[in-house]
Amino acid sequence: EPEVTQTPSHQVTQMGQEVILRCVPISNHLYFYWYRQILGQKVEFLVSFYNNEISEKSEIFDDQFSVERPDGSNFTLKIRSTKLEDSAMYFCASSEEPPGQGTDTQYFGPGTRLTVL
Amino acid sequence: AQKVTQAQTEISVVEKEDVTLDCVYETRDTTYYLFWYKQPPSGELVFLIRRNSFDEQNEISGRYSWNFQKSTSSFNFTITASQVVDSAVYFCALSEAGFGNEKLTFGTGTRLTIIP
């Protein structure tokens, strides 16, 4: 069964460093998302992406964050200068383009645990 | 603005008991979608069910069942004959109508522990 994959599973970085989190969405999916989950808290929306541009972003997704689809398979989240509060689990998700029927199911990857020291 | 409330932070039941996880939502849209996801100790988010606002039929899938009531803005999840493998955090989520790129708003989750 097709699944969303994410690498690395765990990333440790120093405050102020740049990190890139990678995702490979399900191959026929066209909508991509990033969410984050601070330890013990709820899952929060960061950004959605379609047709090579951001569709929607949350207040969390400030200028330190960027997303890119550099090729036909990868979807990346970059944090330019990490802060301690960026420590969280980051989930990538993807959904198929629905046939005009509304919101399709988002399938999540296993997550990347980011630890900022 | 959309909001999901899961008032039960933690629930513990003995194996084989039935358990119901509550979810109450708020939205101004007349068309919306409700979801349940399971997060086992390994951390991934596993999709369980999607429901649209026009379909109030209850759904059963094996030991799992869902009760959607628009009158009370609730979408509750029941596990019958619980098993240890059901131990996880369960999240209810809401998405307002769109065409494939609508964000999910999650509740705070309910941590379910099944005691052997």
mmCIF file of all heavy atoms in Angstrom, chain A residues 99-116:
data_model
loop_
_atom_site.group_PDB
_atom_site.id
_atom_site.type_symbol
_atom_site.label_atom_id
_atom_site.label_comp_id
_atom_site.label_asym_id
_atom_site.label_seq_id
_atom_site.Cartn_x
_atom_site.Cartn_y
_atom_site.Cartn_z
ATOM 1 N N PRO A 99 -12.315 14.612 -6.826
ATOM 2 C CA PRO A 99 -13.089 14.873 -8.037
ATOM 3 C C PRO A 99 -14.196 15.883 -7.792
ATOM 4 O O PRO A 99 -15.361 15.608 -8.004
ATOM 5 C CB PRO A 99 -13.636 13.495 -8.391
ATOM 6 C CG PRO A 99 -13.753 12.796 -7.088
ATOM 7 C CD PRO A 99 -12.634 13.314 -6.233
ATOM 8 N N GLY A 100 -13.841 17.030 -7.315
ATOM 9 C CA GLY A 100 -14.814 18.088 -7.073
ATOM 10 C C GLY A 100 -15.742 17.810 -5.914
ATOM 11 O O GLY A 100 -16.791 18.438 -5.786
ATOM 12 N N GLN A 101 -15.328 16.908 -5.057
ATOM 13 C CA GLN A 101 -16.207 16.516 -3.964
ATOM 14 C C GLN A 101 -15.793 17.086 -2.620
ATOM 15 O O GLN A 101 -16.378 16.769 -1.609
ATOM 16 C CB GLN A 101 -16.252 14.976 -3.878
ATOM 17 C CG GLN A 101 -16.864 14.317 -5.101
ATOM 18 C CD GLN A 101 -18.293 14.765 -5.335
ATOM 19 O OE1 GLN A 101 -19.091 14.790 -4.415
ATOM 20 N NE2 GLN A 101 -18.599 15.164 -6.552
ATOM 21 N N GLY A 102 -14.774 17.883 -2.597
ATOM 22 C CA GLY A 102 -14.412 18.473 -1.323
ATOM 23 C C GLY A 102 -13.184 17.849 -0.714
ATOM 24 O O GLY A 102 -12.431 17.163 -1.373
ATOM 25 N N THR A 103 -13.013 18.055 0.546
ATOM 26 C CA THR A 103 -11.778 17.687 1.230
ATOM 27 C C THR A 103 -11.515 16.193 1.160
ATOM 28 O O THR A 103 -12.354 15.382 1.527
ATOM 29 C CB THR A 103 -11.857 18.122 2.701
ATOM 30 O OG1 THR A 103 -12.055 19.521 2.739
ATOM 31 C CG2 THR A 103 -10.579 17.772 3.422
ATOM 32 N N ASP A 104 -10.364 15.846 0.687
ATOM 33 C CA ASP A 104 -9.980 14.455 0.624
ATOM 34 C C ASP A 104 -9.184 14.091 1.878
ATOM 35 O O ASP A 104 -8.745 14.961 2.611
ATOM 36 C CB ASP A 104 -9.141 14.222 -0.621
ATOM 37 C CG ASP A 104 -9.133 12.762 -1.019
ATOM 38 O OD1 ASP A 104 -9.814 11.955 -0.350
ATOM 39 O OD2 ASP A 104 -8.449 12.408 -1.972
ATOM 40 N N THR A 105 -9.020 12.818 2.090
ATOM 41 C CA THR A 105 -8.316 12.350 3.278
ATOM 42 C C THR A 105 -6.833 12.646 3.157
ATOM 43 O O THR A 105 -6.224 12.410 2.113
ATOM 44 C CB THR A 105 -8.533 10.847 3.449
ATOM 45 O OG1 THR A 105 -9.933 10.612 3.621
ATOM 46 C CG2 THR A 105 -7.765 10.321 4.645
ATOM 47 N N GLN A 106 -6.256 13.165 4.217
ATOM 48 C CA GLN A 106 -4.821 13.399 4.273
ATOM 49 C C GLN A 106 -4.158 12.193 4.934
ATOM 50 O O GLN A 106 -4.543 11.788 6.033
ATOM 51 C CB GLN A 106 -4.529 14.673 5.063
ATOM 52 C CG GLN A 106 -5.046 15.916 4.355
ATOM 53 C CD GLN A 106 -4.808 17.183 5.137
ATOM 54 O OE1 GLN A 106 -3.856 17.301 5.899
ATOM 55 N NE2 GLN A 106 -5.672 18.161 4.941
ATOM 56 N N TYR A 107 -3.154 11.667 4.270
ATOM 57 C CA TYR A 107 -2.391 10.545 4.790
ATOM 58 C C TYR A 107 -1.048 11.072 5.273
ATOM 59 O O TYR A 107 -0.367 11.810 4.561
ATOM 60 C CB TYR A 107 -2.206 9.471 3.725
ATOM 61 C CG TYR A 107 -3.508 8.808 3.364
ATOM 62 C CD1 TYR A 107 -4.274 9.285 2.308
ATOM 63 C CD2 TYR A 107 -3.993 7.725 4.105
ATOM 64 C CE1 TYR A 107 -5.493 8.699 1.995
ATOM 65 C CE2 TYR A 107 -5.209 7.134 3.787
ATOM 66 C CZ TYR A 107 -5.950 7.634 2.734
ATOM 67 O OH TYR A 107 -7.160 7.057 2.428
ATOM 68 N N PHE A 108 -0.701 10.665 6.477
ATOM 69 C CA PHE A 108 0.472 11.226 7.129
ATOM 70 C C PHE A 108 1.675 10.303 7.042
ATOM 71 O O PHE A 108 1.549 9.071 7.055
ATOM 72 C CB PHE A 108 0.158 11.481 8.610
ATOM 73 C CG PHE A 108 -0.712 12.684 8.838
ATOM 74 C CD1 PHE A 108 -2.070 12.634 8.606
ATOM 75 C CD2 PHE A 108 -0.155 13.882 9.276
ATOM 76 C CE1 PHE A 108 -2.868 13.753 8.806
ATOM 77 C CE2 PHE A 108 -0.949 15.004 9.482
ATOM 78 C CZ PHE A 108 -2.304 14.931 9.251
ATOM 79 N N GLY A 109 2.835 10.927 6.980
ATOM 80 C CA GLY A 109 4.077 10.191 7.107
ATOM 81 C C GLY A 109 4.372 9.890 8.558
ATOM 82 O O GLY A 109 3.636 10.324 9.455
ATOM 83 N N PRO A 110 5.469 9.163 8.821
ATOM 84 C CA PRO A 110 5.792 8.743 10.186
ATOM 85 C C PRO A 110 6.363 9.861 11.047
ATOM 86 O O PRO A 110 6.499 9.692 12.257
ATOM 87 C CB PRO A 110 6.840 7.647 9.969
ATOM 88 C CG PRO A 110 7.464 7.990 8.665
ATOM 89 C CD PRO A 110 6.382 8.595 7.832
ATOM 90 N N GLY A 111 6.701 10.984 10.429
ATOM 91 C CA GLY A 111 7.201 12.121 11.190
ATOM 92 C C GLY A 111 8.715 12.187 11.275
ATOM 93 O O GLY A 111 9.418 11.181 11.154
ATOM 94 N N THR A 112 9.205 13.406 11.472
ATOM 95 C CA THR A 112 10.618 13.653 11.784
ATOM 96 C C THR A 112 10.655 14.365 13.124
ATOM 97 O O THR A 112 10.042 15.421 13.282
ATOM 98 C CB THR A 112 11.295 14.553 10.731
ATOM 99 O OG1 THR A 112 11.388 13.859 9.493
ATOM 100 C CG2 THR A 112 12.693 14.966 11.195
ATOM 101 N N ARG A 113 11.355 13.751 14.065
ATOM 102 C CA ARG A 113 11.496 14.406 15.375
ATOM 103 C C ARG A 113 12.683 15.350 15.311
ATOM 104 O O ARG A 113 13.820 14.912 15.134
ATOM 105 C CB ARG A 113 11.687 13.379 16.481
ATOM 106 C CG ARG A 113 11.814 14.037 17.850
ATOM 107 C CD ARG A 113 11.629 13.057 18.999
ATOM 108 N NE ARG A 113 10.307 12.450 19.021
ATOM 109 C CZ ARG A 113 9.199 13.067 19.412
ATOM 110 N NH1 ARG A 113 9.240 14.321 19.821
ATOM 111 N NH2 ARG A 113 8.045 12.430 19.412
ATOM 112 N N LEU A 114 12.422 16.636 15.440
ATOM 113 C CA LEU A 114 13.469 17.658 15.420
ATOM 114 C C LEU A 114 13.772 18.097 16.837
ATOM 115 O O LEU A 114 12.868 18.488 17.581
ATOM 116 C CB LEU A 114 13.023 18.870 14.589
ATOM 117 C CG LEU A 114 14.000 20.043 14.554
ATOM 118 C CD1 LEU A 114 15.298 19.656 13.858
ATOM 119 C CD2 LEU A 114 13.371 21.250 13.878
ATOM 120 N N THR A 115 15.033 18.011 17.197
ATOM 121 C CA THR A 115 15.491 18.460 18.510
ATOM 122 C C THR A 115 16.487 19.587 18.300
ATOM 123 O O THR A 115 17.509 19.414 17.627
ATOM 124 C CB THR A 115 16.153 17.318 19.294
ATOM 125 O OG1 THR A 115 15.222 16.238 19.426
ATOM 126 C CG2 THR A 115 16.585 17.786 20.670
ATOM 127 N N VAL A 116 16.174 20.748 18.846
ATOM 128 C CA VAL A 116 17.054 21.910 18.732
ATOM 129 C C VAL A 116 17.721 22.137 20.086
ATOM 130 O O VAL A 116 17.045 22.302 21.106
ATOM 131 C CB VAL A 116 16.276 23.162 18.305
ATOM 132 C CG1 VAL A 116 17.224 24.353 18.141
ATOM 133 C CG2 VAL A 116 15.520 22.908 17.007
#
